[in-house]
Coordinates of all heavy atoms in Angstrom, one line a residue:
L16 N 46.9 298.2 181.1 CA 48.2 297.6 180.6 C 48.6 298.3 179.3 O 49.7 298.7 179.1 CB 48.1 296.2 180.5 CG 49.4 295.5 179.9 CD1 50.6 295.8 180.8 CD2 49.2 294.0 179.8
L20 N 51.8 300.6 178.8 CA 52.9 300.2 178.0 C 53.2 301.2 176.9 O 54.3 301.5 176.6 CB 52.6 298.8 177.3 CG 52.6 297.7 178.3 CD1 52.2 296.4 177.5 CD2 53.8 297.5 179.1
S215 N 39.6 290.3 181.3 CA 40.6 290.9 182.2 C 41.6 289.9 182.6 O 42.7 290.2 183.0 CB 39.8 291.4 183.5 OG 39.0 292.5 183.2
A216 N 41.2 288.6 182.6 CA 42.2 287.6 183.0 C 43.4 287.5 182.0 O 44.4 287.0 182.3 CB 41.5 286.2 183.0
T217 N 43.1 288.0 180.7 CA 44.3 288.0 179.8 C 45.4 288.9 180.2 O 46.6 288.7 179.9 CB 43.7 288.5 178.4 OG1 43.3 289.8 178.5 CG2 42.6 287.6 177.9
Y218 N 45.0 289.9 181.0 CA 46.1 290.8 181.6 C 47.0 290.0 182.6 O 48.2 290.0 182.5 CB 45.4 292.0 182.3 CG 46.4 292.7 183.2 CD1 47.3 293.6 182.7 CD2 46.3 292.6 184.6 CE1 48.1 294.4 183.5 CE2 47.2 293.3 185.4 CZ 48.1 294.2 184.9 OH 48.9 294.9 185.7
E219 N 46.3 289.2 183.5 CA 47.1 288.4 184.4 C 47.9 287.4 183.7 O 49.0 287.1 184.1 CB 46.1 287.7 185.4 CG 45.2 288.7 186.2 CD 46.0 289.6 187.2 OE1 47.2 289.2 187.5 OE2 45.5 290.7 187.5
Q220 N 47.3 286.8 182.7 CA 48.0 285.8 181.9 C 49.3 286.4 181.3 O 50.4 285.8 181.3 CB 47.1 285.2 180.8 CG 47.7 284.1 180.0 CD 46.8 283.5 179.0 OE1 45.6 283.9 178.9 NE2 47.3 282.7 178.1
A221 N 49.1 287.6 180.7 CA 50.3 288.3 180.1 C 51.4 288.5 181.1 O 52.6 288.4 180.9 CB 49.9 289.5 179.4
Q222 N 51.0 289.0 182.3 CA 52.0 289.4 183.3 C 52.7 288.2 183.8 O 53.9 288.3 184.2 CB 51.3 290.1 184.5 CG 50.8 291.5 184.1 CD 51.9 292.3 183.6 OE1 52.8 292.7 184.3 NE2 51.7 292.7 182.3
S223 N 52.1 287.0 183.8 CA 52.8 285.8 184.3 C 53.5 285.0 183.2 O 54.1 284.0 183.4 CB 51.8 284.9 185.0 OG 50.8 284.4 184.1
D224 N 53.4 285.5 181.9 CA 54.1 284.8 180.8 C 55.6 284.9 181.0 O 56.1 286.0 181.3 CB 53.6 285.5 179.5 CG 54.1 284.7 178.3 OD1 55.3 284.7 178.0 OD2 53.2 284.2 177.7
P225 N 56.3 283.8 180.8 CA 57.8 283.8 180.9 C 58.5 284.8 180.1 O 59.5 285.4 180.4 CB 58.2 282.4 180.5 CG 56.9 281.6 180.8 CD 55.8 282.5 180.5
R226 N 57.9 285.2 179.0 CA 58.5 286.2 178.1 C 58.5 287.6 178.7 O 59.4 288.4 178.5 CB 57.8 286.2 176.7 CG 57.9 284.9 175.9 CD 57.0 285.0 174.7 NE 55.6 284.8 175.1 CZ 54.6 284.8 174.3 NH1 54.8 284.9 173.0 NH2 53.4 284.7 174.7
M227 N 57.5 287.8 179.6 CA 57.5 289.1 180.2 C 58.7 289.2 181.2 O 59.4 290.2 181.4 CB 56.2 289.3 181.1 CG 55.0 289.6 180.2 SD 55.1 291.1 179.4 CE 53.4 291.3 178.8
A228 N 59.1 288.1 181.8 CA 60.2 288.0 182.8 C 61.5 288.3 182.0 O 62.4 289.1 182.5 CB 60.3 286.7 183.5
E229 N 61.6 287.8 180.8 CA 62.8 288.1 180.0 C 62.9 289.5 179.6 O 64.0 290.1 179.6 CB 62.7 287.2 178.7 CG 62.8 285.7 179.0 CD 62.7 284.8 177.8 OE1 62.5 285.5 176.7 OE2 62.7 283.6 177.8
I230 N 61.8 290.1 179.3 CA 61.8 291.6 178.9 C 62.2 292.4 180.1 O 63.0 293.3 180.0 CB 60.4 292.0 178.4 CG1 60.0 291.2 177.1 CG2 60.3 293.5 178.2 CD1 58.6 291.3 176.7
N231 N 61.6 292.1 181.3 CA 62.0 292.8 182.5 C 63.5 292.6 182.8 O 64.2 293.6 183.3 CB 61.1 292.4 183.7 CG 59.7 292.9 183.6 OD1 59.5 294.1 183.2 ND2 58.8 292.2 184.0
T248 N 61.8 296.0 187.7 CA 60.9 296.4 186.8 C 60.8 298.0 186.8 O 61.2 298.6 187.8 CB 59.4 295.9 187.0 OG1 59.0 296.5 188.3 CG2 59.4 294.4 187.1
Q308 N 56.7 294.1 175.4 CA 55.5 293.7 176.3 C 54.2 293.6 175.5 O 53.4 292.7 175.7 CB 55.5 294.6 177.5 CG 56.6 294.3 178.5 CD 56.2 294.7 179.9 OE1 55.3 295.5 180.1 NE2 56.8 294.0 180.8
V311 N 53.7 290.5 173.4 CA 53.3 289.3 174.2 C 51.8 289.5 174.6 O 51.0 288.5 174.4 CB 54.1 289.2 175.5 CG1 53.6 288.1 176.4 CG2 55.6 288.9 175.2
Q312 N 51.4 290.6 175.1 CA 50.0 290.8 175.5 C 49.1 290.6 174.2 O 48.1 290.0 174.4 CB 49.9 292.3 176.0 CG 48.4 292.6 176.3 CD 48.1 294.0 176.5 OE1 49.1 294.8 176.5 NE2 46.9 294.5 176.5
I315 N 48.4 287.1 173.3 CA 47.5 286.4 174.2 C 46.1 286.9 173.9 O 45.1 286.1 173.9 CB 47.9 286.7 175.7 CG1 49.2 285.9 175.9 CG2 46.8 286.2 176.6 CD1 49.8 286.3 177.3
E318 N 44.6 285.1 170.9 CA 44.1 283.8 171.3 C 42.7 283.9 171.9 O 41.8 283.1 171.6 CB 45.1 283.1 172.2 CG 46.4 282.7 171.6 CD 47.4 282.2 172.6 OE1 47.0 282.1 173.8 OE2 48.5 281.8 172.2

Side-chain angles (χ1 to χ4, degrees):
L16 176 61
L20 293 179
S215 294
T217 63
Y218 166 78
E219 301 295 339
Q220 184 181 349
Q222 290 305 291
S223 62
D224 192 289
R226 291 170 292 179
M227 289 291 194
E229 295 175 3
I230 296 166
N231 285 322
T248 67
Q308 285 211 332
V311 175
Q312 178 197 346
I315 292 171
E318 294 174 358

